[in-house]
Amino acid sequence: MSSRINDAPQPLLEARGLTKHFVTGTALRRYTVRAVQDANLKLYPGRVTALVGESGSGKSTIARMLVRLYEPTSGEILYEGRNILGDKGRKALLEYRSHVQMIFQDPFSSLNPVRRIRAHLERPLLIHGKAKRGKLREQVNELLERVALTPVEEFADKFPHQLSGGQRQRVAIARALAVEPRVILADEPVSMLDVSIRLGILNLMAKLRDEQNIAFLYVTHDIASARYFADETLVMYAGRIVEGGESEQVIQNPKHPYTQLLLSAVPNPEKGLRTGVTEDRGEVPDLTQVGVGCPFAPRCKHVMDICRREMPGVTQLSANRWTRCYLYEDVAERETVAAES
Amino acid sequence: MSSIFTTQSIQKTRSHALDRPLLEVRNLEVEYWTRRGTVRAVDDVSFDIYPNEVVGLAGESGCGKSTIAHAITRLLKPPAYIVGGEIKFAGQDILEMEEDELRGFRWEHVAIVLQSAMNSLNPVLSIREQITDVIRTHRQVSKKEATERARELLQVVGIDPNRINSYPHQLSGGMRQRVVIAIALALNPELIIMDEPTTALDVVVQKQIIQEIQSLRERFGFSILFITHDLSLLVEFSDRIGIMYAGKIVEIAPAAEIFAAPKHPYTERLMNSFPTISGPRQTLMGIPGSPPDLVSPPSGCRFHPRCPVKIEGVCEQISPQLLAIGPNRMAACHLVAEEVADEQQN
Amino acid sequence: MERTETTKSTSPAIPLQSRPINLPGRILGAIFPAWLRGILRNRKAALGVSILTAFVLIGIFAPVIAPVNPTRMIGRPHEAPSAEHLLGTTRQGQDVFAQIVHGTRTSLTVGFLTGTVVMVIAIVMGLTAGYLGGWVDEVLSLITNVALIIPSLPLIIVVSRWIERPGPETIVLVLSLVSWAYGARVLRSQTLVLRNADFVAAARVVGEPAWRIILFEILPNMTSLVVSSWIGAVLYAVLTQAALEFIGLGNPNMVTWGTILFWAQNNAALLTNAWWTFIPPGVCIALVGFSLTLINYGIDEITNPRLRTEAGLSPTPVKKRKAARRTEERLSA
């Protein structure tokens, strides 16, 4: 790996073969939920990577593994090229989280209802030793200013329930910014907000990306917002990342049949009213039942025998564009290889 | 199809002409009496729904759109009270009805599908029991006939009738919402109110369900009041759209016209708050500020604190009236009213 | 309170903030913080708090209210109530009023102390098990479940027999050790819910250590549950203590409500019709129990808005084809 010469900048945070299985059920009947399987992604400074998928596709699980709220079942997480999964203990975690922070979906539950805004922002400063003696108050004010919650003194002493959803999400962003992170994982940061204020939050994050060179992972179910905000888009289905590339390319020219289905279902008045009939009647598979093949195979129009037997590998379509689908790789060649072995 | 249902539906559709509104809402006012003060959640709202028409209501949370849905079916619970206006269904005043009459009216003439409904199915009763419940409450039919009808309804909404004995937890969210739609269709109502029926669902399932509703409407000819915050979806699905802000309708017009040329500044900004998957990729601004707290709504036009084109000295003081600004089109905005007046002079 | 506001006001209710500020109000505000005022606004809770406060005051000022030594013989045996002895005398010629007043102190102290110790154990066990999960949870839950299935009253009786004439301290200890498990279970399950709240995940991401998350993030969000469990524990302790002493398992030389009853029983007060020796302590125990229960009901109503609105706001009940209307009502609720 290290010997490979690459023009591209080194990724700040990288996931390799990240897999998470949850074991649930009773002692008598255990189920394994294959929430995420073999996920690979790279986050670069000053770039937003969107992870798009339906509910239950595993996109939030990836974000939670990356911030080390969940321990991966297997795979590697590399920060600046070093696998950090071996680092145990509170000190190592603190160190890691001073670089990698997270914003949660629901600003109504991600702030503690019994604590003031100021307390939410002071804690990360104190914990990570960023607080300057006698300047804590100013530092909090400065954070609030950065997320445009002014007049700051007024907001600092409020309780979360006294703020609107958008304002709370700004507090959550300020909290993440407090440790001066280089990576922010945003888990559906606008999906609970009113339509008219979503863009305000996305624009704020875009500003942080541009001005502070922060690497963002933008987890969302709204592919249109991914097109708006993200430089690169990854599409996830039932625990697998099935396609990735520059956002505009993925959205204008989707390759994987699932991405195509997803895009055909997005309401899009621009393309004319009441168009596009989807024939699809399928449902997302039960994640305790997904087997070895491609999870989309049961609903796929182009399904082939091999799709049910084995998950396709990555097919590089162009420099920054890839998909995992047999339609784009030389199936015949694979079949013969499989037959020989 | 069992005969009782077909005859019923024919009688229903014949009972009023197609060019007369099925539902007339006039100057509706709904208040919430809360400890913090009185909130006028719906303020002087008027609109019509014609037979076989899909009317959409869009707006952000707290704009009063769901309150209207509940008011039409008289399902409002204290502290919400209807304090003024009229709601007429086929000429009959719903607000005058007694509890007994209402029970015959709801589901029979107007059915409602709520966002939460798919999670409100009784977990310990099978789908069959829940559909036949509704049928047998309103119709004197045997269990067998009701079950037959239930199977038919499942078929109609795209669920395998053999799953009739399933329990809600055995079905996915999308299928449960289909069951709720089947129940809404059970008595062939003339109007179905759908309050965010697909918001909790994934976009692919949403598409499936919307298409299902579309084809059901073509087949049975009911009207729909469709309520959602998702303007793109509404534009695709509705014939006419009303845009609500802070308890008032600020613009109402045919869907295509609203999409092509929104008139009210709020409509325009709201349209511009949705990133699209086609067209140019440009910076969108959303709408600065947040929707007002209706305990103390802004004076004058309720949108003026967030409005980029407000007329100083006018918009803060005078509440604009909903005026006709074209055939079949109305808006409540001083600026638009001026423009229309100018055009008429020229 | 909510009810009266909504149904009576035909004009818009005045928002609380806009009411003119008055100085007495401010002083009152300092004495009664917002949460207490919230509780007192509930009629049941207010009644409960008043009764309980009265008893607490009696306990605190016992030597002032009844300067007579409750253990001294100061009159003839079984004297009926009179101006001199408000509640008469016992068989030993002790003043019953003084005994009740001084007994209040011991009984309430034991009650509150036990309640507090029980809650401390329950919080430590329940929150630790719920938050940490894994094997810690399994071990702590096992201990909790064992403590839960041990029949507590027989155990208390055995222990009390074993330690002869246990004083109040011992009763506190024994009662605490056998009655924390229920609270721990309740708090554990609530912790399991809150543990998955985003603000807990956010605190972890920020780097808060586990003990801080438990004490400062989770615990403050279950205040009402803790308070109501605490009140329940106090109630249980007051009643159990009285019961133990009544059956003679306490130290009969101490003056508590339970021992007053014990002596009354021993001295055949029922047969001799000396009602003043057993009715007053009985009434006191009942009143304290009543007040604690009222407070708990009140807290329940305050924290559960559903109970609050259903009291008066729901429309007239409709009977008729109940079973069939289930589905419709569920779907349109």
Side-chain angles (χ1 to χ4, degrees):
Chain A
M1 227 13 252
S2 53
S3 64
R4 201 175 77 186
I5 298 156
N6 201 338
D7 288 342
Q10 198 199 11
L12 200 50
L13 190 66
E14 182 177 356
R16 278 194 205 151
L18 213 52
T19 298
K20 180 71 190 176
H21 294 171
F22 292 103
V23 179
T24 62
T26 59
L28 295 176
R29 288 190 76 179
R30 295 231 179 236
Y31 300 95
T32 303
V33 178
R34 293 168 209 278
V36 175
Q37 295 195 77
D38 187 24
N40 299 289
L41 59 89
K42 292 174 183 170
L43 304 182
Y44 295 94
R47 270 174 76 85
V48 176
T49 303
L51 191 54
V52 178
E54 295 176 83
S55 52
S57 62
K59 54 193 194 302
S60 293
T61 308
I62 290 187
R64 283 175 183 242
M65 279 193 281
L66 288 178
V67 78
R68 304 203 63 188
L69 278 171
Y70 293 159
E71 198 61 28
T73 307
S74 64
E76 292 180 348
I77 296 174
L78 294 92
Y79 181 75
E80 290 186 318
R82 197 176 65 81
N83 184 7
I84 47 85
L85 281 178
D87 303 351
K88 303 278 180 205
R90 185 172 144 69
K91 232 181 151 184
L93 265 182
L94 266 186
E95 160 72 16
Y96 179 63
R97 285 175 179 157
S98 70
H99 303 304
V100 181
Q101 275 292 313
M102 182 153 174
I103 299 166
F104 294 85
Q105 174 178 14
D106 183 359
F108 292 85
S109 97
S110 72
L111 302 179
N112 192 332
V114 302
R115 317 188 68 191
R116 291 178 197 277
I117 302 309
R118 180 182 304 286
H120 282 95
L121 300 182
E122 281 174 355
R123 288 302 300 164
L125 292 168
L126 291 167
I127 292 170
H128 291 269
K130 307 264 180 190
K132 299 191 190 83
R133 203 170 279 265
K135 295 240 170 148
L136 194 55
R137 206 181 173 83
E138 285 161 43
Q139 285 177 296
V140 167
N141 290 353
E142 196 213 343
L143 281 170
L144 287 170
E145 226 157 73
R146 273 166 74 188
V147 295
L149 282 177
T150 49
V152 286
E153 287 287 346
E154 194 181 297
F155 281 104
D157 288 314
K158 284 191 169 163
F159 285 100
H161 69 86
Q162 293 169 305
L163 304 188
S164 72
Q167 290 167 340
R168 289 179 205 211
Q169 202 56 298
R170 284 172 190 268
V171 173
I173 294 173
R175 171 172 60 189
L177 288 177
V179 303
E180 296 163 41
R182 297 181 64 198
V183 181
I184 291 183
L185 312 167
D187 185 4
E188 303 241 21
V190 297
S191 66
M192 306 286 275
L193 304 179
D194 263 329
V195 183
S196 69
I197 46 190
R198 286 181 185 175
L199 285 166
I201 299 290
L202 289 182
N203 290 343
L204 170 66
M205 292 195 297
K207 196 176 131 210
L208 294 170
R209 165 194 63 188
D210 296 339
E211 289 176 3
Q212 290 168 43
N213 222 22
I214 293 175
F216 272 95
L217 178 70
Y218 174 56
V219 175
T220 184
H221 66 272
D222 178 6
I223 198 164
S225 74
R227 175 176 184 248
Y228 178 75
F229 174 48
D231 305 284
E232 185 188 349
T233 293
L234 306 173
V235 179
M236 218 178 158
Y237 181 78
R240 299 272 193 182
I241 302 180
V242 295
E243 178 163 6
E246 295 291 325
S247 300
E248 193 64 0
Q249 287 183 28
V250 170
I251 287 160
Q252 300 312 332
N253 187 14
K255 293 294 183 195
H256 196 281
Y258 171 67
T259 318
Q260 293 169 350
L261 172 67
L262 181 66
L263 280 160
S264 75
V266 175
N268 187 16
E270 298 254 345
K271 279 191 177 159
L273 305 177
R274 294 185 187 177
T275 52
V277 176
T278 169
E279 287 151 28
D280 178 80
R281 288 227 151 174
E283 303 242 336
V284 180
D286 182 348
L287 289 179
T288 60
Q289 305 294 327
V290 292
V292 284
C294 171
F296 192 62
R299 304 168 76 167
C300 185
K301 284 191 278 198
H302 313 288
V303 64
M304 295 173 279
D305 280 348
I306 189 169
C307 301
R308 296 203 175 86
R309 287 201 306 269
E310 201 181 332
M311 182 69 197
V314 171
T315 307
Q316 206 72 37
L317 300 167
S318 64
N320 284 323
R321 190 76 203 287
W322 59 270
T323 182
R324 294 185 75 165
C325 178
Y326 287 119
L327 289 176
Y328 302 96
E329 83 181 50
D330 196 342
V331 183
E333 187 186 0
R334 256 184 169 262
E335 294 274 21
T336 44
V337 173
E340 277 166 20
S341 61
Chain B
M1 187 173 266
S2 27
S3 56
I4 37 165
F5 298 106
T6 37
T7 42
Q8 275 281 345
S9 65
I10 289 164
Q11 278 168 1
K12 276 184 198 170
T13 35
R14 276 184 188 161
S15 64
H16 47 256
L18 285 169
D19 55 349
R20 283 224 316 274
L22 181 64
L23 183 84
E24 294 163 85
V25 177
R26 288 287 168 274
N27 311 101
L28 182 67
E29 291 175 354
V30 182
E31 288 182 350
Y32 286 80
W33 296 351
T34 73
R35 205 186 293 190
R36 291 176 56 230
T38 302
V39 172
R40 180 158 292 194
V42 176
D43 191 7
D44 196 17
V45 162
S46 305
F47 64 94
D48 295 328
I49 299 177
Y50 287 85
N52 209 1
E53 186 185 34
V54 181
V55 173
L57 273 185
E60 298 175 82
S61 55
C63 72
K65 54 192 195 301
S66 293
T67 308
I68 291 180
H70 285 84
I72 293 173
T73 39
R74 290 274 307 273
L75 286 165
L76 285 175
K77 296 213 172 73
Y81 301 93
I82 298 172
V83 293
E86 277 181 352
I87 304 175
K88 282 193 174 159
F89 182 85
Q92 201 187 357
D93 195 340
I94 295 172
L95 299 185
E96 298 288 309
M97 286 186 188
E98 296 292 323
E99 195 62 37
D100 270 14
E101 296 173 74
L102 275 175
R103 223 167 300 123
F105 167 75
R106 287 182 208 136
W107 297 94
E108 183 78 56
H109 298 283
V110 177
I112 185 161
V113 174
L114 301 175
Q115 179 186 352
S116 59
M118 63 185 197
N119 298 322
S120 312
L121 288 169
N122 194 333
V124 299
L125 293 183
S126 70
I127 300 307
R128 178 179 56 77
E129 285 168 293
Q130 307 201 38
I131 304 180
T132 52
D133 251 7
V134 175
I135 297 173
R136 282 165 56 80
T137 312
H138 293 265
R139 297 274 197 281
Q140 300 298 321
V141 295
S142 71
K143 259 194 179 143
K144 209 172 149 229
E145 283 174 287
T147 305
E148 204 37 56
R149 170 73 174 157
R151 293 177 69 92
E152 220 175 83
L153 286 165
L154 288 182
Q155 179 90 57
V156 154
V157 297
I159 298 180
D160 179 1
N162 292 325
R163 299 198 68 170
I164 192 164
N165 286 318
S166 307
Y167 287 85
H169 71 92
Q170 296 169 314
L171 305 176
S172 67
M175 302 222 329
R176 288 203 301 273
Q177 196 63 295
R178 285 167 192 264
V179 170
V180 173
I181 293 172
I183 294 175
L185 288 171
L187 305 169
N188 268 328
E190 293 102 312
L191 173 65
I192 301 184
I193 297 172
M194 300 189 171
D195 185 5
E196 307 261 8
T198 58
T199 303
L201 303 171
D202 285 318
V203 57
V204 178
V205 184
Q206 164 173 297
K207 180 87 175 185
Q208 296 166 356
I209 295 215
I210 292 291
Q211 281 180 355
E212 204 72 68
I213 298 172
Q214 197 87 266
S215 66
L216 290 171
R217 200 176 64 87
E218 277 157 24
R219 188 164 152 198
F220 298 104
F222 48 83
S223 307
I224 297 176
L225 176 61
F226 197 89
I227 294 168
T228 179
H229 68 276
D230 187 344
L231 209 50
S232 319
L233 177 64
L234 212 53
V235 167
E236 273 203 14
F237 184 58
S238 318
D239 298 315
R240 277 192 305 138
I241 292 179
I243 306 286
M244 288 193 72
Y245 186 77
K248 285 176 174 289
I249 290 186
V250 295
E251 181 164 7
I252 185 160
E257 285 180 38
I258 280 223
F259 177 69
K263 288 285 187 219
H264 194 283
Y266 176 65
T267 316
E268 198 185 334
R269 303 286 138 162
L270 195 61
M271 284 288 201
N272 253 315
S273 298
F274 286 93
T276 54
I277 53 167
S278 55
R281 248 174 126 183
Q282 60 203 4
T283 304
L284 304 171
M285 289 322 296
I287 309 176
S290 18
D293 179 358
L294 289 181
V295 172
S296 47
S299 60
C301 173
R302 288 178 173 185
F303 187 58
H304 87 259
R306 300 174 79 188
C307 184
V309 292
K310 69 160 180 253
I311 310 168
E312 296 289 339
V314 178
C315 294
E316 305 96 314
Q317 286 170 18
I318 308 160
S319 179
Q321 296 298 308
L322 200 58
L323 294 175
I325 55 164
N328 216 354
R329 181 153 201 195
M330 295 172 104
C333 174
H334 295 302
L335 194 70
V336 176
E338 268 182 23
E339 284 169 8
V340 171
D342 285 351
E343 272 171 34
Q344 281 168 353
Q345 273 180 359
N346 293 340
Chain C
M1 3 102 279
E2 175 113 323
R3 169 165 34 117
T4 46
E5 264 189 37
T6 43
T7 46
K8 275 183 192 166
S9 63
T10 43
S11 63
I14 310 163
L16 286 174
Q17 306 96 303
S18 69
R19 283 182 190 151
I21 298 160
N22 57 341
L23 195 60
R26 285 197 140 180
I27 296 169
L28 271 175
I31 302 171
F32 299 110
W35 61 268
L36 188 59
R37 268 179 290 156
I39 289 176
L40 292 181
R41 224 175 283 146
N42 180 292
R43 238 181 284 161
K44 285 178 195 160
L47 180 60
V49 169
S50 325
I51 299 175
L52 193 63
T53 311
F55 275 105
V56 169
L57 290 177
I58 291 173
I60 293 173
F61 296 107
V64 184
I65 299 168
V68 187
N69 182 341
T71 51
R72 256 191 61 197
M73 198 178 125
I74 46 117
R76 283 175 293 120
H78 275 174
E79 234 180 277
S82 63
E84 195 185 344
H85 304 294
L86 280 179
L87 292 172
T89 61
T90 66
R91 177 88 188 280
Q92 281 77 24
Q94 300 145 325
D95 186 83
V96 176
F97 178 72
Q99 287 206 318
I100 295 281
V101 169
H102 286 261
T104 304
R105 189 180 257 196
T106 336
S107 292
L108 285 189
T109 311
V110 168
F112 285 125
L113 257 183
T114 311
T116 309
V117 176
V118 162
M119 276 329 286
V120 169
I121 303 178
I123 287 172
V124 170
M125 296 291 281
L127 269 73
T128 315
Y131 181 73
L132 293 181
W135 66 269
V136 179
D137 183 26
E138 294 199 2
V139 170
L140 294 185
S141 289
L142 182 71
I143 300 173
T144 310
N145 288 338
V146 167
L148 206 58
I149 52 167
I150 290 175
S152 53
L153 208 59
L155 181 74
I156 296 168
I157 293 171
V158 169
V159 174
S160 317
R161 247 0 263 203
W162 179 50
I163 310 167
E164 266 178 61
R165 298 193 165 181
E169 312 79 18
T170 325
I171 290 190
V172 169
L173 200 71
V174 173
L175 282 183
S176 305
L177 286 180
V178 297
S179 48
W180 56 269
Y182 182 73
R185 276 287 288 254
V186 173
L187 293 181
R188 175 182 167 267
S189 63
Q190 182 68 15
T191 309
L192 286 176
V193 174
L194 286 174
R195 179 176 79 154
N196 292 323
D198 279 350
F199 66 82
V200 171
R204 283 172 64 195
V205 171
V206 155
E208 294 281 10
W211 66 271
R212 262 200 82 103
I213 293 181
I214 294 173
L215 287 184
F216 293 94
E217 305 284 338
I218 294 180
L219 187 58
N221 279 291
M222 356 198 251
T223 319
S224 69
L225 190 62
V226 169
V227 170
S228 67
S229 306
W230 177 73
I231 288 170
V234 172
L235 174 61
Y236 175 78
V238 168
L239 296 181
T240 316
Q241 183 206 7
L244 285 178
E245 287 168 343
F246 173 67
I247 57 176
L249 293 173
N251 179 351
N253 297 328
M254 295 288 303
V255 178
T256 71
W257 293 339
T259 51
I260 301 175
L261 284 172
F262 168 74
W263 284 116
Q265 153 87 357
N266 258 12
N267 298 329
L270 265 175
L271 290 178
T272 52
N273 243 347
W275 56 268
W276 55 89
T277 59
F278 58 85
I279 290 198
V283 168
C284 286
I285 293 169
L287 272 179
V288 167
F290 179 58
S291 68
L292 289 169
T293 311
L294 277 180
I295 297 174
N296 247 357
Y297 273 137
I299 291 177
D300 213 22
E301 277 179 19
I302 292 163
T303 52
N304 188 347
R306 248 205 156 141
L307 292 174
R308 185 169 54 198
T309 47
E310 275 171 12
L313 288 179
S314 56
T316 39
V318 220
K319 23 169 183 161
K320 203 180 161 188
R321 312 197 70 167
K322 226 180 188 172
R325 278 180 39 233
R326 255 182 326 220
T327 305
E328 294 184 8
E329 293 204 334
R330 288 182 74 93
L331 292 180
S332 46

